[in-house]
């Protein structure tokens, strides 16, 4: 999968052909994913990545300046695929499927397919320079914002009950974390549920929560006054 322009433009290169830069960096990132998953970031060398990508170590350094640059490209590739899955689901009209359900379904399927990659982001992000780490975290929020946008749109069209901003944002974060949860806990969850079971149950939970949100008391706990809420 090609890495977005915004990622490869941020990393300096002397190569003028931007199409070639995109192809080479995607080739390098694809090879690095497998190496990082197998060996870990710190035990993987650029020479090993270059060999796996089918290029020389010298050629690799024409497109990146460090192993940290490669890790940043890997994180960007993973986030791009997740964002594209959600965006595609939102622009596609799936007959008989709630738009939010379609977005959740496609997002969770990507998270299922890229579970090891998601773990890689969480394990190795701290190895990035601060400027790249900030971008990776912003990409996480950008995925959450896709869900917040569809929730706002569905509230606007009346397909979901009105809800306050804090509730809407929290539901969007919950959806985003459901994909991470499958990646982190699949050692247990996959023994009890198929990914389709997980998608169905979590979608039902989220849609039920959305329907309830509009009728809740300001405390967020229906039927309870602030004095009745346990500490």
């Amino acid at each position: 999968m090609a890495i977005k322009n915004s990622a490869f433009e941020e990393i300096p290169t002397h190569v003028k052909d931007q199409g070639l830069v995109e192809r080479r960096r995607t080739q390098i990132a694809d090879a690095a994913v497998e190496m990082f998953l197998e060996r870990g970031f710190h035990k993987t060398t650029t020479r090993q990545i270059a060999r796996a990508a089918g290029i020389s170590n010298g050629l690799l350094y024409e497109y990146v300046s460090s192993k940290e640059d490669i890790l940043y490209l890997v994180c960007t590739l993973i986030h791009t695929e997740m964002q594209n899955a959600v965006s595609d689901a939102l622009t596609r009209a799936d007959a008989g499927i709630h738009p939010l359900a379609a977005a959740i379904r496609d997002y969770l399927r990507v998270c299922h397919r890229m579970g090891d990659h998601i773990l890689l982001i969480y394990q190795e992000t701290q190895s990035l320079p601060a400027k790249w780490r900030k971008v990776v975290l912003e990409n996480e929020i950008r995925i959450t914002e896709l869900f917040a946008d569809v929730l706002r749109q569905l509230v606007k069209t009346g397909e979901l009950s009105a809800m306050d901003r804090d509730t809407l944002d929290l539901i969007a974060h919950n959806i985003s974390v459901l994909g991470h949860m499958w990646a982190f806990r699949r050692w247990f969850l996959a023994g009890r549920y198929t990914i389709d079971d997980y998608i169905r149950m979590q979608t039902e939970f989220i849609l039920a929560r959305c329907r309830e949100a509009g009728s809740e008391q300001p405390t967020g706990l229906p039927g309870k006054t602030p004095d009745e809420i346990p500490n």
Side-chain angles (χ1 to χ4, degrees), residues 1-3 25-35 74 77:
M1 176 179 178
I3 297 170
R25 285 183 171 172
T26 299
Q27 181 182 353
I28 292 166
D30 284 339
V33 166
E34 301 307 321
M35 301 298 295
V74 167
L77 182 150

Side-chain angles (χ1 to χ4, degrees), residues 77-89:
L77 182 150
I78 295 167
H79 280 134
T80 297
E81 185 153 351
M82 289 192 289
Q83 290 178 52
N84 286 347
V86 177
S87 297
D88 290 347

